[in-house]
Amino acid sequence: MEKNENTRDEEILSAMIDGELSEADTEKIKLTLENSDHLRSFEKDLMLSRSAFGEMKRNTSDAVDFDLFWKDLSESCVEITRAKNNNELTPDELRKLLGKSGLSWFDRLFAVFAPAAAGVAAAMASVFFLMPARVLKERVIIEKPMARAGETVKTDLKVVSGDKKDPNEVRPVHLSPNPVIENIIESGESCVIESMQSAEDIITAVFKVEDSDGSMITVIWLPIDEPSEDTI
Amino acid sequence: MKDYNSFTDGELIEHASNGDQLAFQYLVKRHNGWAYGFVLKTVRNPEAAWDITQEGFVRVFKNLSEFRQESSFSTWFHRILYNLCIDHWRRTGRRIEVEYQDVLSSGDTGPSGGRGHIFKTPEKALRHTEIVHLLEEALGELSFEHRTIVVLREIDGLSYEEIAEVTGCPRGTVMSRLHHARKNIVQHLKRHGYVSSEI
């Protein structure tokens, strides 16, 4: 449908006030404006609208508390960065992730069983003695149940099926967005804590959970000092 | 030491995409204010606006390497936010209008908290509050498409070309919607007794 002439002139006038017209079009609409009471009235309306928006722009009530905003945002960014970097986690990031992914019961278990498991933690001692003091990062490693105590696999998160005959056969998994460790642990009806230890706020633990095929797998959660070369 | 404040948006993005998180933080600091304001005026729900703005920056962070310098960051980010607002609008529909009116009445400006403007006289402060409130009402009566375009123009100061790029509408449609939106806003203001000399 054709727009009526008034509407068209109003649109052009509106564009002129916004500075969106060419010089030639501006001159044309100015001429029309001089001879049109309707258009002059509309120009006042436009000014009314503009002034009102000017008042709104002065209103600072939309201001965002940047610290609060960044705190929320940086948490999301950490997760994205981790996913991009193939699960390289700092201890804080790992704890945050586990807390968010429904594994907070782990912390609770830790609080309950840690004293009783202190003796079993000796099995992990050799691991710690091999670690330099500047342990900064944590990895999650899942090994075969028959893995010797203290034996670690310096790779990113990997899963070895308990039934597989070849102990070297590994299946790479990603911790995000659906951590396999979370799925395995949550699908298991029970969890056997073998050892737990906390040193400088870094949790190290060995526990067993039942895999979906009924086999028991051992989860070793421990700090590793440097990134592995065989990144997944 | 890097002077991030002197960096252009493009430079901040370039540094951020190379893993410089501080550069990204400066980018967020530079743009979070208007971004939240734009989303709030578009979706009219402070909580949703907060979440959408956060999600917008998350998308920026995820796609830093995809930003092309030929477009301004502001336009690119507006487009991301606009699409998120559309998604939100489709999910929630008009019921959020009522919630936002409640928020306006209660004076609660949402999770960020509020800071008022300083006016020389109480009369001016009151008139300012009334006008802003009326304008919020008028924006609420507009369709999503008209409201977005008028906010992009009047609050964020985008050109017609930039609005067309953000919304995916032809320039003529932008011009037409803007005209329609302004006309309705003015009618709302006039219905409540405001004329241009009063503002």
Side-chain angles (χ1 to χ4, degrees):
Chain A
M1 198 197 307
E2 283 284 314
K3 284 178 184 169
N4 71 45
E5 203 168 320
N6 275 346
T7 304
R8 186 162 182 76
D9 285 344
E10 285 171 7
E11 284 182 12
I12 294 170
L13 181 64
S14 187
M16 184 195 82
I17 286 172
D18 286 333
E20 293 276 348
L21 286 189
S22 66
E23 274 189 33
D25 288 338
T26 303
E27 287 307 313
K28 268 189 214 169
I29 195 65
K30 276 183 178 173
L31 272 178
T32 314
L33 188 60
E34 280 178 14
N35 302 309
S36 168
D37 292 340
H38 169 80
L39 215 52
R40 279 199 298 278
S41 166
F42 183 68
E43 187 185 23
K44 283 183 183 170
D45 288 350
L46 286 177
M47 292 307 175
L48 174 66
S49 163
R50 174 154 289 193
S51 303
F53 275 108
E55 291 293 319
M56 183 178 261
K57 279 164 87 171
R58 291 170 65 193
N59 185 20
T60 57
S61 64
D62 294 345
V64 176
D65 179 335
F66 178 74
D67 290 339
L68 188 60
F69 189 84
W70 176 251
K71 183 176 175 291
D72 278 2
L73 183 61
S74 61
E75 287 177 7
S76 303
C77 293
V78 163
E79 292 193 10
I80 296 163
T81 305
R82 183 206 60 241
K84 280 181 177 173
N85 294 342
N86 267 340
N87 310 327
E88 279 191 25
L89 298 176
T90 66
D92 282 347
E93 290 163 4
L94 181 59
R95 270 189 290 280
K96 192 186 301 171
L97 173 72
L98 294 173
K100 278 187 174 181
S101 62
L103 296 183
S104 57
W105 62 268
F106 183 85
D107 291 335
R108 291 197 294 273
L109 281 175
F110 174 73
V112 173
F113 291 106
V120 190
M124 296 293 296
S126 58
V127 174
F128 288 113
F129 288 129
L130 292 173
M131 297 292 153
R134 49 178 180 78
V135 172
L136 296 174
K137 293 185 177 178
E138 287 179 345
R139 297 289 179 81
V140 179
I141 296 172
I142 303 176
E143 289 185 354
K144 289 189 67 175
M146 61 285 291
R148 290 190 299 276
E151 181 179 279
T152 62
V153 181
K154 288 200 172 188
T155 64
D156 269 318
L157 180 63
K158 292 186 177 183
V159 173
V160 182
S161 164
D163 288 336
K164 291 276 166 55
K165 287 180 180 173
D166 180 3
N168 295 319
E169 187 174 347
V170 292
R171 178 163 52 92
V173 293
H174 295 282
L175 210 55
S176 174
N178 295 307
V180 167
I181 188 171
E182 176 188 350
N183 294 338
I184 290 172
I185 294 172
E186 283 195 343
S187 65
E189 288 191 2
S190 62
C191 165
V192 181
I193 306 293
E194 291 195 343
S195 73
M196 285 191 175
Q197 188 166 326
S198 177
E200 293 183 355
D201 208 27
I202 295 174
I203 298 169
T204 303
V206 181
F207 56 97
K208 283 185 174 179
V209 292
E210 192 176 345
D211 204 349
S212 55
D213 59 6
S215 63
M216 295 299 286
I217 58 171
T218 300
V219 177
I220 302 176
W221 179 6
L222 75 170
I224 287 178
D225 59 334
E226 58 187 46
S228 70
E229 290 178 6
D230 53 345
T231 306
I232 299 167
Chain B
M1 185 157 174
K2 294 171 188 171
D3 180 12
Y4 289 99
N5 280 321
S6 67
F7 282 16
T8 64
D9 290 342
E11 288 168 338
L12 286 176
I13 288 169
E14 197 179 329
H15 280 73
S17 63
N18 289 326
D20 184 346
Q21 292 234 5
L22 197 54
F24 183 68
Q25 189 173 351
Y26 269 81
L27 188 75
V28 173
K29 194 167 191 173
R30 189 177 289 176
H31 294 282
N32 78 95
W34 70 255
Y36 176 74
F38 166 69
V39 175
L40 178 61
K41 284 179 176 55
T42 304
V43 302
R44 306 173 62 71
N45 176 318
E47 301 291 338
W50 182 272
D51 291 342
I52 289 171
T53 313
Q54 287 269 332
E55 176 59 23
F57 277 112
V58 165
R59 291 198 182 185
V60 168
F61 187 75
K62 280 181 181 171
N63 299 292
L64 282 167
S65 57
E66 289 175 21
F67 174 69
R68 299 285 170 265
Q69 301 281 355
E70 57 260 31
S71 171
S72 78
F73 172 75
S74 165
T75 307
W76 184 56
F77 192 34
H78 262 108
R79 189 162 61 240
I80 290 171
L81 294 172
Y82 176 77
N83 288 332
L84 288 170
C85 289
I86 287 180
D87 292 344
H88 175 82
W89 189 249
R90 284 176 182 153
R91 278 200 309 273
T92 56
R94 286 188 64 82
R95 67 186 166 81
I96 60 171
E97 296 287 335
V98 180
E99 294 166 11
Y100 189 56
Q101 289 307 321
D102 290 346
V103 170
L104 283 177
S105 306
S106 70
D108 178 7
T109 54
S112 61
R115 282 180 294 170
H117 192 83
I118 298 169
F119 292 90
K120 285 180 181 170
T121 65
E123 291 78 17
K124 279 188 178 177
L126 181 62
R127 196 167 62 191
H128 167 85
T129 306
E130 282 176 352
I131 291 165
V132 171
H133 190 84
L134 274 178
L135 197 49
E136 291 285 7
E137 281 182 353
L139 285 170
E141 288 181 1
L142 295 176
S143 70
F144 175 84
E145 291 81 5
H146 288 97
R147 176 165 61 244
T148 311
I149 283 181
V150 81
V151 169
L152 285 170
R153 173 64 212 171
E154 298 284 11
I155 303 294
D156 294 349
L158 267 62
S159 70
Y160 287 12
E161 287 300 330
E162 289 169 330
I163 296 171
E165 197 179 330
V166 168
T167 59
C169 294
R171 193 175 185 277
T173 306
V174 171
M175 202 166 145
S176 169
R177 284 185 181 170
L178 197 51
H179 167 254
H180 176 90
R182 282 169 168 162
K183 212 163 180 179
N184 280 281
I185 287 167
V186 168
Q187 279 170 9
H188 185 87
L189 294 176
K190 283 182 169 178
R191 269 204 305 276
H192 290 83
Y194 276 86
V195 294
S196 55
S197 59
E198 285 184 83
I199 298 181

